[in-house]
Amino acid sequence: MDPIVVAAGTAVISAMATSVWETVRDAVVALWRRLHPDKAEQIGEDLEVVRAEIVQARSSGDVSAEQALAGEWQSKLQRLVRNDPALAHEVQRLLEEHLVPALAADEQTRIRTIIQTAHATDHSTIYQAGGDITTHLPPTS
């Protein structure tokens, strides 16, 4: 699954429990309205139902329910991107402009660590890790 989609789906669920949820909801619905206007109202209704579920899951400490709900939104966003890969940019913009700013600092950090990208040119070597990394490179000549 695209890392942007994973991060965005997770952030949608996390943002549901914030005080600025309505702004985030409007941004998610606006994305669907631009891409699939016929489905925008249903997405808005789905978001309201899921919000009630996430608030209940958080109040009872049900982490698995929260993860399952994040998985559902990751799948919805993945279908958008799979059907039109150019939409990955739209999902990333939603994530960066609306979802991440709505989250508490610790959740922002968690969402940002999901996304790691690297581009190598000229036979460069790139190392990425979610934590410490040790390498043993041969001597250069």
Side-chain angles (χ1 to χ4, degrees):
M1 189 172 285
D2 186 311
I4 296 296
V5 166
V6 172
T10 302
V12 166
I13 295 303
S14 295
M16 287 182 176
T18 69
S19 62
V20 294
W21 163 242
E22 290 162 359
T23 303
V24 171
R25 177 197 177 280
D26 292 347
V28 174
V29 171
L31 174 68
W32 253 268
R33 190 167 283 119
R34 282 192 312 275
L35 305 175
H36 298 288
D38 56 317
K39 297 179 183 177
E41 291 308 313
Q42 183 62 50
I43 289 296
E45 292 170 14
D46 291 350
L47 286 166
E48 292 299 332
V49 169
V50 172
R51 182 173 192 270
E53 293 174 12
I54 196 64
V55 168
Q56 174 62 35
R58 284 207 171 175
S59 69
S60 65
D62 189 349
V63 175
S64 62
E66 188 171 344
Q67 290 172 340
L69 293 168
E72 288 177 24
W73 280 91
Q74 290 165 358
S75 294
K76 286 178 191 267
L77 293 166
Q78 184 65 40
R79 282 190 293 278
L80 281 179
V81 172
R82 187 180 318 121
N83 291 335
D84 185 354
L87 296 180
H89 177 70
E90 291 289 323
V91 173
Q92 183 170 5
R93 195 175 77 171
L94 172 70
L95 177 66
E96 293 172 355
E97 294 178 9
H98 299 283
L99 300 176
V100 170
L103 302 176
D106 61 328
E107 292 202 49
Q108 287 182 11
T109 300
R110 183 172 62 107
I111 295 302
R112 287 187 174 124
T113 60
I114 292 173
I115 305 166
Q116 291 187 17
T117 58
H119 303 281
T121 59
D122 301 326
H123 306 288
S124 299
T125 303
I126 295 175
Y127 300 94
Q128 286 186 282
D132 294 339
I133 187 169
T134 302
T135 61
H136 300 283
L137 299 173
T140 59
S141 29

